[in-house]
Structure formats: C-alpha cells, structure tokens
Amino acid sequence: MKKIYGNEYLLSAVGSMMKNDRAAHTVIFYGEKGSGRKTLADYYAASLVCTDLRDGRPCGECVECRNAFKHTHPDIIYAETSGKLGGYSVETAKSICLDAFVRPNNRSGRKVYIFRDCHKMDVRTQNTLLKIVEEPPDFTYFIFTSESKEDFLSTIISRSVCFALSPCSEDDTRAALAENGFSGRDTDEAVACFHGNIGMCIQYMNDAELRGRTALVKRLTGSIADRDEYALNREMFNVGKERDDIKTVLRMLDDVVRDAAVCSESGEARLIGCSQRDAARLAEVITPYQAVKIHGIIGKAWSAIEANVGAALVLTAMCAEITETVNR
C-alpha cells in the first residue's frame, strides 16, 4: 500500500470512524482533479473490508486489502459508466439498487459501491439512488467522488459524510514524485506548475497534451497582459472542441488570474496557478477588481460549456469580455 501524502485530518477522521465501528454508509470525497479523491476512495473501501485494521487504518497486507488496492475485490464494485460523457445511467443505478441487497461473501461481511467522477452523474440517476442511500442494508456502503460537493443533490449530501481534499505541501509532493520514480528538473517543473497536486504533477510528466495545455495557458495569460484580443482569440482556438479539454484550460487560466489578484495584494501569498512569472506580469497590468471581473467571465464561460453551448461562440464572447475588462 502506497503512502498517502497530506490530508492528515481526513485520514484521522476515517481512522476514528473505523476504530469506533462507526463507518459511514455513504461518503463523498471531493476535490480538484489530481487531488487524490480516487485514492482516498480506494483507501476507505480497503478500510471497510480489511481483516486486520491497525489503529483504524487498513493493513495493506491481508488478502482483502491486496485485492481492494488491485481493484479485484469481488465485493468492491466500481459502477460502470456509459455514453460519450462517461456518466452513470439510470439503468446502472437501478441494477445497483437491486444488487445492494445481495449479501457479500467475504470475512468483513461488507459490500462497497464506488461511483467516481460524479460531476458526470445527472439528477435522474441520483434520484434513483436516493432511496438506497437513505436506507442501505447494514452491509452495504457507497463511496462517491467528484470535483465539488455541489455536484450532488442536497438530499444525497444530507445523508453522506463529506470530505474535502486539500493540496499537499510542495515537499510532500516532491516526496511522492520520488516514490513514483520522478526526480530532477522534470520534478521541479511539474511542482512549479501544479504545486501540491500530486496527481496533476504526475500527469504533467507523463502527458504531452497536458504540457501543451499548460504552455497554452501561459500564452493566453500573456495575451491578456498585452491587451491583445486577436492573439487571445487565436490562442483560445488552439484549445480544441473537447469539453473536458476546454474546462481544464479555463480552470488553469482562472488559477493564474486568481494568482495575479493575490500578487497585487501580497507578495507572500500562496500561489496555485501554473506560472508564477505570468501571474506576476498580469498583476502589473490589471487591478484586483479587474481580476475578480475576469474570474466571473471565465466562470460564465465554464457554465455555458457545461450546458453544452457551442464552444466557439462561448470562447469568442469570453475573449471579447476579458479584453474589454482589461482595457477599462
């Protein structure tokens, strides 16, 4: 079992539940992409089936733990996704509602269902699951992961224990990267871009597309600082048409804009964006008030993309509004 870095409070809370035999039947782990929410889901599932808990933590050595972490445990079920967006269908939810009453065949006597990336789960599917979440069999547990707690119906949230994942320290990130075989200049570059987000740092070093998107965000920031609407539109055209790619770029750009606002107020603040240098340059051009306005513009574009509005139209309008805000 690999070490889990950061989130000590969360791990302590889970351990306390297990030690006191008060394991929550429904848990939501939420945080930004790469924050470790899927890792924590696997950890909690292993805790539920482990036959040799140690101070409330899974031993990582028993058969149940080994199968859990290898994703081969017969009573830890990963809900199947479907469709172009990789969501969860009502039919899948109905099937799980029926299967949830079939007793497990393991020493812990527990069965676990894991739904990952629930920002892709629509309201109908959540409503289908609501009854079983409200009144689960004694042996049945549900784990959901998503980017935000707000991705869930209030009725689901009220019946769940919700854990927000926080970034690690940069020192912990470097230690985790070293454990995964990364070191040297590549590590420095990844940490400079994604700081305490271990998952995104690993993806950055393995994924040329993410490195390309990071470079694109830096060029977009430069275009805003130059007040160059043409260049901003041209670079935004390179984002592509895939909704997830567009959302990734918008989130990364928003982080740099946030950093620009922070830089204007304090040189000691913790930065979260992919380029400290570009954030500092943008801070010389825009005021914190303008940064807040741009944040709102990016948020509006994000919502439109989520609602399946045409990407080209949304991004063109966004570029025009950002340029107008910077030129005021």
Side-chain angles (χ1 to χ4, degrees):
M1 181 175 69
K2 286 188 176 182
K3 178 180 177 181
I4 296 178
Y5 291 87
N7 291 290
E8 288 84 3
Y9 173 78
L10 190 158
L11 292 172
S12 175
V14 169
S16 179
M17 285 196 303
M18 302 309 300
K19 282 191 293 184
N20 295 308
D21 196 25
R22 296 178 65 87
H25 278 268
T26 305
V27 169
I28 295 173
F29 293 107
Y30 64 96
E32 64 180 13
K33 181 180 179 182
S35 61
R37 56 187 190 242
K38 294 177 184 176
T39 300
L40 265 297
D42 290 344
Y43 176 88
Y44 187 56
S47 298
L48 289 169
V49 300
C50 178
T51 57
D52 187 22
L53 284 173
R54 298 173 183 177
D55 196 29
R57 297 178 179 239
C59 68
E61 298 172 3
C62 68
V63 172
E64 307 291 350
C65 274
R66 292 202 303 272
N67 287 339
F69 287 116
K70 288 190 295 185
H71 293 185
T72 58
H73 196 290
D75 293 313
I76 299 177
I77 299 99
Y78 291 82
E80 291 186 3
T81 58
S82 58
K84 288 184 178 180
L85 299 180
Y88 296 96
S89 69
V90 171
E91 289 70 25
T92 294
K94 288 179 178 178
S95 176
I96 285 174
C97 288
L98 292 173
D99 186 66
F101 289 94
V102 178
R103 288 193 170 274
N105 184 26
N106 62 72
R107 289 174 61 189
S108 73
R110 288 169 169 163
K111 175 182 276 190
V112 186
Y113 295 92
I114 300 179
F115 292 81
R116 306 195 291 185
D117 296 328
C118 289
H119 56 284
K120 300 175 181 178
M121 181 186 288
D122 66 27
V123 171
R124 294 172 302 163
T125 302
Q126 292 191 48
N127 276 322
T128 303
L129 290 169
L130 182 57
K131 182 64 175 176
I132 194 71
V133 167
E134 286 179 329
E135 299 177 10
D138 290 343
F139 52 81
T140 301
Y141 296 79
F142 295 92
I143 303 173
F144 299 95
T145 75
S146 197
E147 294 179 357
S148 169
K149 185 170 69 173
E150 305 311 314
D151 292 326
F152 299 93
L153 295 172
S154 59
T155 44
I156 295 283
I157 293 172
S158 67
R159 290 157 177 82
S160 306
V161 173
C162 301
F163 290 113
L165 277 73
S166 56
C168 301
S169 69
E170 293 193 359
D171 286 342
D172 276 349
T173 302
R174 292 178 191 278
L177 294 177
E179 184 181 327
N180 282 274
F182 299 107
S183 61
R185 194 167 125 190
D186 289 343
T187 294
D188 293 338
E189 190 175 315
V191 173
C193 288
F194 294 103
H195 313 286
N197 189 316
I198 296 171
M200 290 300 290
C201 285
I202 292 174
Q203 186 180 346
Y204 180 84
M205 289 185 283
N206 288 329
D207 186 352
E209 288 189 4
L210 180 57
R211 293 195 295 275
R213 287 196 288 271
T214 303
L216 172 60
V217 170
K218 294 177 180 180
R219 296 196 301 273
L220 288 168
T221 307
S223 299
I224 295 172
D226 291 336
R227 298 185 172 91
D228 189 338
E229 184 176 354
Y230 172 76
L232 185 59
N233 272 288
R234 183 187 65 223
E235 296 296 350
M236 194 61 73
F237 180 78
N238 293 324
V239 175
K241 298 180 180 179
E242 293 296 323
R243 189 164 69 164
D244 284 349
D245 291 344
I246 295 170
K247 288 168 61 180
T248 296
V249 169
L250 291 181
R251 181 177 63 245
M252 292 170 66
L253 179 61
D254 194 38
D255 285 345
V256 178
V257 171
R258 175 267 183 197
D259 285 352
V262 168
C263 286
S264 297
E265 295 296 316
S266 170
E268 302 298 323
R270 175 179 170 272
L271 303 184
I272 62 173
C274 66
S275 177
Q276 182 175 346
R277 184 183 64 182
D278 290 295
R281 182 185 170 210
L282 187 59
E284 295 175 354
V285 176
I286 65 173
T287 65
Y289 173 77
Q290 288 172 312
V292 171
K293 290 282 288 183
I294 294 171
H295 166 71
I297 293 166
I298 294 172
K300 184 171 69 172
W302 173 289
S303 298
I305 294 295
E306 279 277 88
N308 230 10
V309 180
L313 179 64
V314 170
L315 297 179
T316 299
M318 184 191 77
C319 291
E321 289 186 60
I322 289 175
T323 306
E324 182 183 355
T325 299
V326 174
N327 284 330
R328 284 177 181 167

